[in-house]
């Protein structure tokens, strides 16, 4: 009998020690199993969340779950029913005063310094036979052979204000050892109940706010560091943030965070694990009494917002608002996971869920860098609705890992792009309680110090780095902090050791060694035309050290600086290489090339259908022909010939001339460079000369030609057309109605028929001994016929001896032209 009692005592001691290890450990395992929605669930005990299909819970909104510190499921609830780890209804686990349509129907808290008991806090909803209110129940895991039992409750915490209570509840670890704070909200007051080993305090800490909640829906969340509160009053169009004192339970400093219409009805709320970013999922809260309209996904619209709350300046927080995602979607919860990602409940309407969750991969990052992914986590054949299970926010407080080479910024949960050959040091925050550290690389332990240094990084160093810190805090709790980041390793870009830029000094002072350089023309050669490479130039090492690049690389004046520092960076990886570029100034006198001549282009001027040449002042030049003529001079296939309108353009290699262009008389500058290096070899210039076109004289009005009457009589008249310019060497050619008059080659012509006469003048320009231009201009004359009127007695009709005497003339035979009549 004695031995039997001893065995029982030993078993009891082992059991007690087991529970002490579980309850005095405060890691993220408590949040490793979630149940929510339409019998949906996910398990975080593997590397990524995997769907669960064994849930008995079917809820449109409120839900809650808890596991032990090792991630083993203990029980879960929708606020009215509690299921044990075997998915059976827990003993006495029905009829709780939460509600599946309450936003946060239940919150589970372990009783401090107790190895078996938990509290379930419920908030109700007046849907069906439900009712508003705030209550709690006591659950003992010793009951029902370790499956758990509800042993007490409900205990009313509403202070007689049940009818005014909202659907919100949240919890956080207290500043004092072995304490929690449980918060809820009624009308315009926060109620903070302190939970200790003695139980739940009878008297709450009440903090009054300026907002009177009309809509009870929407989440209440506390930041993992216990310093901030965010609350969503959905149809009140209010999203508010407060300061929280986790020592006294007081709520202060209300800040209104406005959202954009139409999605300005806040619902889901969550903080990032470092407590510096705040997210809210808001909708347009569309409602209709017509079921087909209310259940139409196209009528619902949601937006996911981010606020940066790292600043204590209200205006900065408000102005930091960023839209992360907007789409047709119903309202939904946000919940921080043990992997420090934020998960988003996805529902098309109140009654139509979806088999996915959205996820914010990097909640600590600014704006879209937080990397939101829609429909990212599959729920198998189960559906998400509007709710996700809330947890004690403290369990998500992350270990802060920083990098000295990244300005000591937080890198926990980040992907770092590092460079081959570099050294990096990763530091952790200072922790009390004699912490022990374990660093792993791709799950293999590599270090057990607080800091991790990687030297001469190579491709093999890429992968996932995880840190686990185990300590006993000031309250005697074993706390396990976990953090991780991922490293991608890239080769830095290669830069040539012999970058030389030779420039011709072709400005006004070609021997002073000072000229202009267009450094940008070297970028393609430096980067080998890789669009992912960025090049910056620095005038000195000092400027490089002080991050002062050359501000005008396209017009850099050499002065007396023979060497520049060049930095080439891969914009995808951030890896960079530095080198030097030598600037050489080549004193250059401009070579004179043969001038290029062409005829002036003409502008056609149409005036009453009469056409005359008008000189444009410009000629057309084919620069490819000119280029080939210069290539013929050098006969060197390694050179490149370029044309510019000014010497400065030539030096900077901007506004290059090519192809066929129209120009007036002007000077053109030639740059001779090496094809590969673009370095200048020599410079030159030539003139473009435009030979004016000759314009024949003449009157461009209608010219009258008198003809016989009747017309069938021989033509006795002509009219002289004169296009003489006055230059003796000009030649002429006449045309009648666009047909050449072969014999008409004089400056004048006697026209004897009606029509359009055109005279083309040709002028010969002898530009050089071998270069002759023939330039043409023209004028046109319009000749119209007319003759004397022919009238006989038969054409006249006289009516007299009447009340209206008249004389009429028949005009058929009068002749060509317009006539006047008189008696």
């Amino acid at each position: 009998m004695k031995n039997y009692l001893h065995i029982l005592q030993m078993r009891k001691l082992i059991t007690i020690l087991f529970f002490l290890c579980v309850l005095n450990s405060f890691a993220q395992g408590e949040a490793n199993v979630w149940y929510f929605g339409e019998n949906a669930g996910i398990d975080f005990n593997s590397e990524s969340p995997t769907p669960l299909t064994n849930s008995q819970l079917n809820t449109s909104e409120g839900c809650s779950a808890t596991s032990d510190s090792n991630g083993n499921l203990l029980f879960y609830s929708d606020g009215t029913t509690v299921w044990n780890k075997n998915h059976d209804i827990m003993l006495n686990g029905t009829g709780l005063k939460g509600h599946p349509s309450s936003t946060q129907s239940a919150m589970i808290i372990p009783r401090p310094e107790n190895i078996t008991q938990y509290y379930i806090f419920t908030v109700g909803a007046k849907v069906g036979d439900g009712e508003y209110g705030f209550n709690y129940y006591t659950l003992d895991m010793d009951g029902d052979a370790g499956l758990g039992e509800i042993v007490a409750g409900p205990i009313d915490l509403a202070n007689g204000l049940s009818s005014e209570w909202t659907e919100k509840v949240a919890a956080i670890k207290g500043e004092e050892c072995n304490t929690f704070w449980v918060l809820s909200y009624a009308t315009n007051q926060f109620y903070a109940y302190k939970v200790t080993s003695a139980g739940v305090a009878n008297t709450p800490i009440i903090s009054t706010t300026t907002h009177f909640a009309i809509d009870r829906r929407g989440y209440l969340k506390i930041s993992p560091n216990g310093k901030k509160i965010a609350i969503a009053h959905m149809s009140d169009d209010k999203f508010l943030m407060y300061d929280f004192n986790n020592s006294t339970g007081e709520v202060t400093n209300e800040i209104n965070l406005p959202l954009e219409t139409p999605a300005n009805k806040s619902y889901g709320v969550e903080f990032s694990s470092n407590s510096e970013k705040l997210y809210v999922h808001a909708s347009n809260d569309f409602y209709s009494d017509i079921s087909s309209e209310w259940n139409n996904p196209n009528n619902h619209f949601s937006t996911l917002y981010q606020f940066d709350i790292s600043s204590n300046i209200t205006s900065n927080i408000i102005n930091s608002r960023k839209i992360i995602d907007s789409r047709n979607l119903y309202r939904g919860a946000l919940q921080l996971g043990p992997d420090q990602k934020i998960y988003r409940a996805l529902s098309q309407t109140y009654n139509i869920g979806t088999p996915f969750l959205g996820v914010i991969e990097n909640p600590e990052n600014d704006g879209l860098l937080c990397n939101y992914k829609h429909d990212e986590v599959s729920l198998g054949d189960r559906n998400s609705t509007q709710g996700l299970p809330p947890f004690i926010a403290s369990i998500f407080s992350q270990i802060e890992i920083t990098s000295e080479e990244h300005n000591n910024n937080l890198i926990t949960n980040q992907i770092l792009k590092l460079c081959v050959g570099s050294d990096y040091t990763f530091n952790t925050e200072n922790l009390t309680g004699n912490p022990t550290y374990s660093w792993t690389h791709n799950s293999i332990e590599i270090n057990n110090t607080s800091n991790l240094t990687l030297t001469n990084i190579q491709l093999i160093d890429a992968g996932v780095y995880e840190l686990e810190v185990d300590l006993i805090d000031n309250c005697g709790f074993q706390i396990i902090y976990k953090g991780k980041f991922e490293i991608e390793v890239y080769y830095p870009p290669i830069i040539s050791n012999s970058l030389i830029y030779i420039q011709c000094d072709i400005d006004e002072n070609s021997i002073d060694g000072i000229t202009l350089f267009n450094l940008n023309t070297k970028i393609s050669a430096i980067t080998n035309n890789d669009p992912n490479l960025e090049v910056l130039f620095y005038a000195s090492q000092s400027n490089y050290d002080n991050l002062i690049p050359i501000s005008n690389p396209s017009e850099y004046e050499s002065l007396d600086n023979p060497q520049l520092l060049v930095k080439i960076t891969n914009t995808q990886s951030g890896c960079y290489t530095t080198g030097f570029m030598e600037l050489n100034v080549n004193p250059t006198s401009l070579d004179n090339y043969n001038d290029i001549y062409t005829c002036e282009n003409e502008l056609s001027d149409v005036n009453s259908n009469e056409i005359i040449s008008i000189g444009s002042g410009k000629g057309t030049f084919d620069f490819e022909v000119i280029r080939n003529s210069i290539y013929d001079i050098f006969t060197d296939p390694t050179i490149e010939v370029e044309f510019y309108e000014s010497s400065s353009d030539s030096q900077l290699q901007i506004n290059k001339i090519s192809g066929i262009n129209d120009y007036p008389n002007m000077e053109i500058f030639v740059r001779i460079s090496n094809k590969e290096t673009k370095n200048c070899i020599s410079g030159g210039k030539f003139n473009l000369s435009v030979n004016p076109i000759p314009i024949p004289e003449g009157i461009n009005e209608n010219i009258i030609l008198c003809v016989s009457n009747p017309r069938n009589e021989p033509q006795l008249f002509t009219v002289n057309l004169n296009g003489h310019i006055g230059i003796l060497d000009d030649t002429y050619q006449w045309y009648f109605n666009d047909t050449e008059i072969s014999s008409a080659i004089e400056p004048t012509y006697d026209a004897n028929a009606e029509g359009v006469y055109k005279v083309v003048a040709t002028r010969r320009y002898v530009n050089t001994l071998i270069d002759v231009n023939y330039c043409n201009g023209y004028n046109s004359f319009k000749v119209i016929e007319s003759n004397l009127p022919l009238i006989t007695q038969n054409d006249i009709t006289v009516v007299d001896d009447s009340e209206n005497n008249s004389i009429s003339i028949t005009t058929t035979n009068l002749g060509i032209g317009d006539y006047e009549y008189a008696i």
Side-chain angles (χ1 to χ4, degrees):
M1 182 71 176
K2 182 177 180 182
N3 289 337
Y4 176 71
L5 289 174
H6 178 71
I7 291 171
L8 287 179
Q9 289 171 345
M10 288 298 295
R11 286 180 176 174
K12 185 174 182 180
L13 178 60
I14 291 170
T15 301
I16 290 172
L17 288 173
F18 169 77
F19 277 112
L20 280 173
C21 289
V22 170
L23 294 176
N24 283 344
S25 173
F26 201 73
Q28 295 173 0
E30 290 89 341
N32 274 13
V33 179
W34 297 9
Y35 288 108
F36 54 90
E38 298 172 355
N39 307 107
I42 51 176
D43 187 340
F44 287 92
N45 283 302
S46 55
E47 288 188 4
S48 58
T50 56
L52 296 171
T53 58
N54 51 9
S55 172
Q56 299 301 305
L57 178 148
N58 191 331
T59 174
S60 53
E61 295 186 70
C63 50
S64 191
T66 194
S67 304
D68 63 26
S69 62
N70 294 318
N72 301 307
L73 175 68
L74 295 177
F75 57 91
Y76 57 99
S77 174
D78 64 355
T80 62
T81 303
V82 182
W83 290 270
N84 62 32
K85 65 182 181 180
N86 292 335
H87 309 286
D88 297 321
I89 295 176
M90 185 174 283
L91 198 61
N92 302 322
T94 60
L96 279 66
K97 290 193 172 184
H99 197 285
S101 191
S102 172
T103 303
Q104 293 173 277
S105 57
M107 171 62 71
I108 301 169
I109 306 292
R111 181 171 181 171
E113 299 185 276
N114 188 291
I115 60 175
T116 63
Q117 289 190 347
Y118 288 80
Y119 296 117
I120 301 179
F121 294 82
T122 64
V123 285
K126 200 165 187 177
V127 178
D129 58 356
E131 59 184 39
Y132 297 120
F134 186 35
N135 297 274
Y136 80 93
Y137 300 79
T138 303
L139 184 152
D140 198 323
M141 290 303 298
D142 257 353
D144 196 15
L147 294 176
E149 175 187 6
I150 302 291
V151 296
I155 306 297
D156 188 355
L157 298 175
N159 285 354
L161 299 173
S162 290
S163 62
E164 300 176 23
W165 218 264
T166 65
E167 302 174 3
K168 310 172 194 297
V169 62
I172 192 72
K173 187 180 175 184
E175 179 71 22
E176 185 181 342
C177 291
N178 300 313
T179 62
F180 294 100
W181 289 101
V182 178
L183 274 72
S184 194
Y185 193 85
T187 310
N188 69 325
Q189 292 178 320
F190 283 100
Y191 288 77
Y193 283 90
K194 193 173 187 178
V195 181
T196 66
S197 59
V200 180
N202 293 323
T203 304
I205 304 299
I206 300 175
S207 302
T208 302
T209 70
T210 63
H211 178 66
F212 286 78
I214 299 173
D215 193 340
R216 305 165 192 263
R217 299 167 297 174
Y219 273 76
L220 167 66
K221 289 293 183 73
I222 307 172
S223 63
N225 65 6
K227 296 180 180 180
K228 298 289 184 182
I229 290 175
I231 188 169
H233 300 290
M234 196 173 77
S235 290
D236 297 352
D237 299 350
K238 286 290 184 180
F239 179 49
L240 305 170
M241 188 175 73
Y242 300 85
D243 290 337
F244 180 65
N245 187 325
N246 66 348
S247 177
T248 66
E250 293 176 301
V251 179
T252 56
N253 189 28
E254 180 177 290
I255 298 177
N256 178 37
L257 301 177
L259 306 178
E260 292 184 9
T261 56
N264 62 336
K265 320 292 185 183
S266 56
Y267 184 78
V269 179
E270 191 55 288
F271 293 88
S272 62
S273 60
N274 67 355
S275 301
E276 293 187 354
K277 296 293 191 299
L278 172 60
Y279 293 85
V280 58
H281 179 178
S283 73
N284 61 343
D285 193 30
F286 174 84
Y287 179 78
S288 173
D289 289 329
I290 302 173
S291 177
S292 60
E293 292 184 358
W294 191 41
N295 283 309
N296 183 349
N298 292 327
N299 290 329
H300 299 281
F301 187 81
S302 286
T303 296
L304 178 63
Y305 299 91
Q306 181 200 75
F307 289 88
D308 186 340
I309 60 171
S310 58
S311 167
N312 288 321
I313 302 172
T314 299
S315 60
N316 289 353
I317 295 173
I318 292 172
N319 293 332
S320 73
R321 184 188 70 199
K322 295 180 177 67
I323 292 177
I324 304 303
D325 179 73
S326 288
R327 66 181 69 237
N328 285 110
L329 195 69
Y330 198 59
R331 67 189 185 221
L334 298 174
Q335 178 57 49
L336 193 60
D339 55 2
Q340 298 170 341
K341 301 177 182 181
I342 294 178
Y343 293 83
R344 182 188 190 187
L346 304 177
S347 184
Q348 297 182 66
T349 71
Y350 188 89
N351 295 320
I352 304 175
T354 67
F356 295 98
L357 295 180
V359 60
I360 304 172
E361 294 280 349
N362 306 106
E364 298 86 359
N365 288 358
D366 291 334
L368 296 178
L369 295 177
C370 72
N371 192 20
Y372 171 71
K373 295 181 179 179
H374 198 67
D375 287 350
E376 177 67 11
V377 179
S378 172
L379 304 177
D381 60 353
R382 307 304 165 94
N383 281 337
S384 163
T385 52
Q386 301 152 61
L388 291 174
F391 297 93
I392 302 168
S394 318
I395 67 176
F396 300 112
S397 184
Q398 68 177 16
I399 183 75
E400 293 187 0
I401 306 173
T402 58
S403 169
E404 292 181 4
E405 290 73 22
H406 293 81
N407 299 319
N408 289 318
N409 288 333
L410 189 70
I411 62 168
T412 311
N413 297 327
Q414 306 295 306
I415 297 177
L416 302 182
K417 297 180 178 181
L418 307 185
C419 309
V420 168
S422 301
D423 300 337
Y424 293 89
T425 298
F426 307 102
N427 300 318
T428 58
E429 61 183 294
N430 292 325
L431 299 171
T432 59
N434 296 317
T436 60
Y437 299 86
S438 174
W439 290 91
T440 62
H441 173 220
N442 295 336
S443 302
I444 299 174
E445 187 170 25
I446 57 172
N447 192 281
N448 56 10
T449 62
S450 60
N451 301 329
L452 175 67
T453 299
L454 301 179
T455 58
N456 191 24
I457 283 180
Q458 301 299 313
L459 296 181
I460 197 174
D461 293 313
V464 176
Y465 289 78
E466 295 182 271
L467 169 65
E468 184 172 307
V469 182
D470 194 339
L471 59 81
I472 305 298
D473 71 3
N474 295 332
C475 299
F477 277 88
Q478 179 189 10
I479 298 180
I480 299 174
Y481 289 108
K482 293 182 179 180
K484 68 178 180 179
F485 56 90
E486 185 176 349
I487 287 178
E488 297 175 353
V489 180
Y490 297 87
Y491 282 108
I494 298 173
I495 190 168
S496 171
N497 292 325
S498 57
L499 286 177
I500 301 175
Y501 190 171
I502 301 174
Q503 181 65 293
C504 297
D505 191 355
I506 56 175
D507 52 23
E508 294 180 356
N509 187 342
S510 63
I511 61 172
D512 61 357
I514 299 174
T515 191
L516 292 175
F517 288 82
N518 185 350
L519 305 178
N520 290 339
T521 61
K522 290 296 181 181
I523 290 178
S524 61
I526 294 172
T527 64
N528 197 24
N529 293 311
D530 186 338
N532 295 321
L533 297 183
E534 176 189 71
V535 177
L536 293 176
F537 301 94
Y538 298 84
S540 65
Q541 183 68 47
S542 174
N543 284 5
Y544 174 80
D545 295 339
N546 290 287
L547 306 178
I548 307 174
I550 291 173
S551 59
N552 59 334
S554 63
E555 296 184 44
Y556 180 69
E557 191 171 64
S558 61
L559 298 177
D560 56 353
N561 186 10
Q563 195 175 65
L564 302 180
L565 192 147
V566 182
K567 178 181 180 182
I568 178 172
T569 304
N570 187 312
T571 57
Q572 303 298 306
S573 67
C575 296
Y576 65 89
T577 303
T578 60
F580 292 94
M581 183 165 69
E582 184 179 338
L583 302 183
N584 290 338
V585 179
N586 179 15
T588 307
S589 58
L590 290 172
D591 296 326
N592 289 312
Y593 296 100
N594 292 332
D595 293 343
I596 307 299
Y597 299 85
T598 193
C599 292
E600 181 184 22
N601 297 332
E602 61 183 27
L603 298 176
S604 294
D605 180 39
V606 179
N607 180 18
S608 301
N609 297 321
E610 296 168 2
I611 303 175
I612 183 173
S613 289
I614 297 179
S616 67
K618 294 182 178 180
T620 300
F621 297 90
D622 189 335
F623 283 87
E624 301 315 308
V625 172
I626 303 170
R627 192 189 317 275
N628 289 331
S629 68
I630 297 178
Y631 277 135
D632 290 341
I633 297 173
F634 282 87
T635 63
D636 184 350
T638 66
I639 69 164
E640 183 175 52
V641 177
E642 296 170 337
F643 302 112
Y644 299 92
E645 294 181 5
S646 68
S647 63
S648 60
D649 282 1
S650 173
Q651 292 174 80
L652 301 176
Q653 293 177 270
I654 58 175
N655 305 318
K656 193 182 302 183
I657 305 171
S658 62
I660 298 174
N661 292 273
D662 290 346
Y663 276 104
N665 293 327
M666 68 177 299
E667 192 174 49
I668 296 297
F669 291 82
V670 183
R671 177 188 175 95
I672 310 297
S673 305
N674 181 279
K675 248 181 204 178
E676 296 298 324
T677 66
K678 308 299 181 185
N679 286 329
C680 183
I681 297 172
S682 69
K685 61 182 178 177
F686 59 85
N687 291 312
L688 299 179
S689 294
V690 178
N691 293 324
I693 59 174
I695 302 176
E697 299 294 333
I699 301 173
N700 304 116
E701 299 175 354
N702 289 344
I703 299 173
I704 304 299
L705 171 64
C706 290
V707 296
S708 301
N709 195 359
R711 190 68 178 86
N712 57 6
E713 294 183 2
Q715 171 62 19
L716 302 177
F717 303 100
T718 61
V719 63
N720 183 259
L721 307 178
N722 188 356
H724 200 286
I725 302 172
I727 303 299
L728 295 178
D729 292 335
D730 289 350
T731 61
Y732 300 85
Q733 177 64 59
W734 287 87
Y735 297 79
F736 174 61
N737 291 339
D738 292 327
T739 299
E740 181 181 302
I741 307 170
S742 60
S743 60
I745 58 173
E746 299 299 325
T748 63
Y749 182 74
D750 290 329
N752 63 356
E754 182 176 272
V756 176
Y757 294 81
K758 178 180 178 181
V759 60
V760 176
T762 301
R763 185 168 297 163
R764 180 172 178 267
Y765 289 96
V766 180
N767 305 313
T768 65
L769 291 176
I770 59 173
D771 186 3
V772 177
N773 286 142
Y774 293 89
C775 302
N776 298 327
Y778 61 88
N779 199 349
S780 296
F781 305 84
K782 185 176 182 181
V783 174
I784 60 175
E785 295 180 347
S786 185
N787 53 15
L788 297 174
L790 179 63
I791 187 169
T792 67
Q793 185 65 42
N794 293 331
D795 296 322
I796 303 172
T797 303
V798 178
V799 177
D800 58 4
D801 196 18
S802 68
E803 292 182 359
N804 293 301
N805 297 333
S806 64
I807 299 176
S808 300
I809 299 175
T810 301
T811 63
T812 306
N813 299 315
L814 281 179
I816 303 170
D818 298 324
Y819 297 94
E820 292 181 354
Y821 304 89
I823 296 178

